Amino acid sequence: MNDLAKLKKDLDGLEVEDNPQIVKQKSRDFFWYSPVLKRQLDHVTADLVVTPKSEEEVIQVLKACFAHDVPVTTRGAGTGNYGQAMPLSGGVVLNLAALNEVLEISPGVVRAQAGAIMAAIDEAARPGGQELRMHPSTYRTATVGGFIAGGSGGVGSINWGGLRDLGNIISLKVATMEAEPRILHMKGEDLHKVSHAYGTNGIILEVEVPLTAAYDWVDVIVGFDEFMDGVHFADALANQDGILTKEIAPVAAPVPHDYFLRHQKYLRKGQSVVLLMVAPFAMDAFLAFASRFRAASICYRSDVGRPEERKGLPPVYELAWNHTTLRGLRVDPTITYLQVLYPFPDYVEKVGRMTRLLGDEVPGHLEFVRFDGKITCFGLPIVRYTSEERLNEIIRLHEDHGCPIFNPHRYTLEEGGMKQTDAVQLAFKREADPKGLLNPGKMIAWEDPDFDFSAQKTYLFPGLAR
Amino acid sequence: MNDLAKLKKDLDGLEVEDNPQIVKQKSRDFFWYSPVLKRQLDHVTADLVVTPKSEEEVIQVLKACFAHDVPVTTRGAGTGNYGQAMPLSGGVVLNLAALNEVLEISPGVVRAQAGAIMAAIDEAARPGGQELRMHPSTYRTATVGGFIAGGSGGVGSINWGGLRDLGNIISLKVATMEAEPRILHMKGEDLHKVSHAYGTNGIILEVEVPLTAAYDWVDVIVGFDEFMDGVHFADALANQDGILTKEIAPVAAPVPHDYFLRHQKYLRKGQSVVLLMVAPFAMDAFLAFASRFRAASICYRSDVGRPEERKGLPPVYELAWNHTTLRGLRVDPTITYLQVLYPFPDYVEKVGRMTRLLGDEVPGHLEFVRFDGKITCFGLPIVRYTSEERLNEIIRLHEDHGCPIFNPHRYTLEEGGMKQTDAVQLAFKREADPKGLLNPGKMIAWEDPDFDFSAQKTYLFPGLAR
């Protein structure tokens, strides 16, 4: 009996999938946003997918995999797009989709199992007038545990910053990968150990996150002839302290008309837009603000007109964040994108410079956010992809102009992030995953402690199964 | 029959007070914060106080006063401290205290009569999990109409900016002072016409303002040996996007120990503090944040310890904003205060410079706020008053160092504010109060169009009755 057969025996009674086609499908995320990751990871698959129904079953899986030295890669809904949830060395995909209970809601707080869908959490919170502070554009499918393990911010970050900020996660319940897995309760500074660690050093079982006031947000699209007019408008609006918005995203022509197909009737070809979610009671103030800008014309408002006209339109947040690129890919599968930080205080100027420099090869897409107390913007520009070489050149151009890139064409934590070892996460991996079985290949600091981040070389995980 | 007798006849059936002692009492506000205003305004009194019970009765008062050319000065709770509500030319004080109904609450919005007490509005909103965005430290006595007519911001401005910001007032219902008073409904840009106009150009009857999520805010006092350590702490906390607070106010020694008598047992002599209101679910994150600062020690938390120990303690917001000075005046009636803006981005440096320059003559008190999208701070420093000359010198010193003063020792809109004509408010006064009967002497632009603001002379209203 080989290890896998022995493992299966230990998993008796659990929901285990070994049909290769289904296993492969559950071993993938949205990595194909990147032509680079598509080339590197397309073949990746686990041996088994296990779907535990309870914490006890999760512990059973971890104990069995530890005993047989089988890697475990945790999966939420698989909506990440850096291969976070892809099992580079095979083994088990631990699918937490069935741990989806919303456990407790109180003023300002929700406690839920890691596999709870974010929209489902809001559905449970909304009768009490509450909703999550922030969510990705994959709100209707993504799990809260996956967001914390692999996301950074999203819709709502204009008010609350990112997941890395103290206060945006209250506590986490985490299982370790040991002979006898421990259950840890983390809060405060400890949260950094496992949040945004791709499940490399612990299994998030339960999350406690803050809620804020829920409103029937009004979707608004404002049109501009010039992208930079839209950027200035968005920046001024983001700095209005009294006008409550949840989303402010300028998108350069030709993206809106060409890629937002279901909204196309509201958009002119060649028109740039700013995508907005505005609190309903802030609409009068917003309209007063907007009328100060001659260049701004309101193309679409979800709070006026006949409801049947709006039927079939996706919410505006499904045009924004990573959905902008997704809609682009549906029209033109050759495109890809980047992730840029335009640092405060001259972020608008930097956007202008990169826009002039790269033109239609890199149509702009910005997301305004709070970052260390200031308004600034992230970029998720579309890239008309020609080659990896040119893509790296575009990355270098951004960095040469003071705009750091969080590279979405890399599957490791470090290369997609700060390009340096995270000592806290590494130390916790030593403690919680001594055999290195959790999501192998994603934390360079563990796999290759001598890796030189300054050498500008891509890390290639030697354990990447072929 | 003189004019007053004729007026009284026209007011038949209304609640009219003409007992001189009571009238004088209802003709005053907290103007005595300022030794300058105390000298100028101590004798001021109306002839009558009228307390209408309905909008119809307000209109009746306005019509009668218009007919007999009697000035009308509107009063909420009289908690302003620039003489806003004081009838410089006598006449009628229009007391709106009886127009105090909370009319309608919906998600994000409350509509109330102008005389509604702010704490009473919150009491009505809280069962639905909502509360006002901001309030003055006189929350438990001040009216919402008075706050809009004479205030600028307060507790909560750290999240929402000030009343001047679009979106912090949704709409106002206003009566004009004409032969046939009109009822106007204002929103958007129009709101600026009458908000912070001291009732000089219309009578605010009803307000619609936004609500936000209500929490059982935790009062926290953090102690520091050095005031500037507290300022840096407060600034860093204010720039934490994920930690929800409602109030962040550093106060320099010896003010906390010497003036916060009911909290004295928690404070050391010579200790500076930062006063805080923190969301209960943000306490773990706040404590993690605070432990990064060696100089910070938590002196007081309202969420721990025995309830009987906390009995009799005022809420922290009643140590902050204008209550800091009020508590000082109760201990040492010779002090007064100033209102300073330390502009972004070098506000902390400017605070340090003024602190070194003025020492214990002007003990620091800051209120962190959002201002045009950035965190910065207002100062309400205590001033150990010696003479008007020295007070003016201290003002000049601030302005010479790039810190504008909003002078609380002046009773006019302009001198307490931007030191220039507000063309919008003036134009609206021409339209809505053609006889100039509303709160005479408070709008220089109306009384003396040729007044030279650059001449640094105090405006003296010639109509100030003696």
Side-chain angles (χ1 to χ4, degrees), chain A residues 213-226:
Chain A
Y215 301 112
D216 290 330
W217 299 97
V218 180
D219 282 353
V220 181
I221 303 178
V222 188
F224 296 86
D225 289 341
E226 297 294 331

Side-chain angles (χ1 to χ4, degrees), chain B residues 252-265:
Chain B
V255 172
H257 178 273
D258 289 1
Y259 296 163
F260 299 165
L261 300 184
R262 287 200 272 166
H263 284 86
Q264 205 175 53
K265 59 183 165 184

Side-chain angles (χ1 to χ4, degrees), chain A residues 133 189 241-242 292 370 373, chain B residues 133 189 241-242 292 370 373:
Chain A
R133 284 183 173 180
E189 302 279 8
D241 299 314
R292 295 176 184 173
R370 276 200 187 286
Chain B
R133 283 184 173 180
E189 303 278 10
D241 299 315
R292 295 176 183 172
R370 276 198 189 287

Side-chain angles (χ1 to χ4, degrees), chain A residues 127-253:
Chain A
Q130 301 194 100
E131 65 184 25
L132 292 164
R133 284 183 173 180
M134 64 187 77
H135 62 75
S137 66
T138 48
Y139 175 60
R140 298 204 271 189
T141 47
T143 66
V144 68
F147 184 48
I148 287 173
S152 54
V155 180
S157 286
I158 184 66
N159 297 313
W160 300 103
L163 285 171
R164 71 182 187 107
D165 291 309
L166 275 174
N168 283 331
I169 305 169
I170 297 174
S171 75
L172 295 175
K173 186 175 175 183
V174 174
T176 62
M177 182 55 165
E178 299 173 277
E180 290 297 330
R182 288 170 295 152
I183 301 286
L184 305 177
H185 296 267
M186 297 182 168
K187 60 181 189 175
E189 302 279 8
D190 278 348
L191 293 168
H192 179 61
K193 292 177 179 171
V194 294
S195 59
H196 203 81
Y198 294 179
T200 55
N201 56 11
I203 311 297
I204 298 173
L205 298 171
E206 217 177 276
V207 314
E208 204 181 14
V209 289
L211 297 173
T212 184
Y215 301 112
D216 290 330
W217 299 97
V218 180
D219 282 353
V220 181
I221 303 178
V222 188
F224 296 86
D225 289 341
E226 297 294 331
F227 176 57
M228 287 308 296
D229 284 341
V231 176
H232 285 285
F233 175 90
D235 184 41
L237 179 59
N239 279 283
Q240 285 282 326
D241 299 314
I243 301 181
L244 182 61
T245 58
K246 191 171 179 175
E247 169 68 14
I248 303 180
V251 184

Side-chain angles (χ1 to χ4, degrees), chain A residues 388-439:
Chain A
E388 281 188 43
E389 204 181 3
R390 177 59 184 162
L391 182 63
N392 289 330
E393 207 169 285
I394 293 170
I395 290 173
R396 208 159 44 244
L397 275 170
H398 278 88
E399 296 188 327
D400 287 350
H401 283 83
C403 306
I405 294 284
F406 298 95
N407 195 340
H409 305 283
R410 297 290 180 270
Y411 55 78
T412 63
L413 284 162
E414 292 94 336
E415 291 166 299
M418 303 305 290
K419 293 166 206 88
Q420 63 187 32
T421 294
D422 185 322
V424 172
Q425 292 191 345
L426 175 62
F428 186 65
K429 185 170 174 76
R430 290 203 179 105
E431 179 191 331
D433 180 26
K435 284 190 175 177
L437 293 171
L438 293 181
N439 206 353

Side-chain angles (χ1 to χ4, degrees), chain A residues 107-109 133 160 166-168 187 189 211 215 239 241-243 281 284-285 288 292 344 370-374, chain B residues 107-109 133 160 166-168 187 189 211 215 239 241-243 281 284-285 288 292 344 370-374:
Chain A
V109 187
R133 284 183 173 180
W160 300 103
L166 275 174
N168 283 331
K187 60 181 189 175
E189 302 279 8
L211 297 173
Y215 301 112
N239 279 283
D241 299 314
I243 301 181
F281 52 83
D284 285 341
R292 295 176 184 173
F344 186 87
R370 276 200 187 286
F371 191 88
D372 291 347
K374 315 289 184 294
Chain B
V109 188
R133 283 184 173 180
W160 301 102
L166 274 175
N168 283 330
K187 61 181 189 174
E189 303 278 10
L211 297 174
Y215 301 111
N239 278 283
D241 299 315
I243 301 180
F281 51 84
D284 285 340
R292 295 176 183 172
F344 186 87
R370 276 198 189 287
F371 192 86
D372 291 347
K374 315 288 184 294

